[in-house]
Amino acid sequence: MQTQTKNVNQVQTLLRFTYGLVPIVAGADKFLNLLTNWEQYLSPAMKRLLPFDAHIFMMLVGVIEIIAGFIVLTRPQAGGWIVSAWLLLIALTLLSSGSYLDVAVRDIVMAIGAYSLARLSARKQLTAA
């Protein structure tokens, strides 16, 4: 039982750092565009709906991602739910645009991982109480 608990804790820690640090890095990159030009993922219809420039929108998205990453690091159960929902919204947006379907599938898979983090963290919280 102790080995199983240790393994669960290791997986939860790995997921916490993954889903905490990756959104922080991706969010910061919305300001720098070193990893990619993030605006390319916005559909033309979405760009037309924005009341401001697409770059400003992506910087707002970056701030949200950075905050979500810090929430995952400090409160992994709540953060896991937030990041899972966020990734599903991104995937649904991409699917509805018919573009970047590979990224949409990747984001769905990542959302499942974030959901798993939330569930493991809830279990860990229950066993700690």
Side-chain angles (χ1 to χ4, degrees), residues 39 42-54 57 97:
E39 294 169 36
L42 286 174
S43 71
M46 178 73 147
K47 286 180 186 178
R48 285 191 299 274
L49 290 174
L50 293 175
F52 39 75
D53 185 64
F57 177 76
S97 74

Side-chain angles (χ1 to χ4, degrees), residues 109-127:
V109 171
M110 288 173 49
I112 293 168
Y115 169 82
S116 299
L117 169 63
R119 296 288 302 195
L120 280 174
S121 297
R123 182 169 186 243
K124 186 176 176 181
Q125 208 170 24
L126 285 175
T127 57

Side-chain angles (χ1 to χ4, degrees), residues 51-90:
F52 39 75
D53 185 64
H55 183 68
I56 300 291
F57 177 76
M58 293 314 293
M59 289 192 301
L60 292 171
V61 167
V63 169
I64 293 167
E65 289 176 340
I66 291 167
I67 291 168
F70 279 113
I71 293 171
V72 169
L73 291 173
T74 58
R75 297 183 56 221
Q77 182 181 357
W81 289 115
I82 292 167
V83 170
S84 182
W86 182 254
L87 288 164
L88 283 176
L89 286 173
I90 293 169

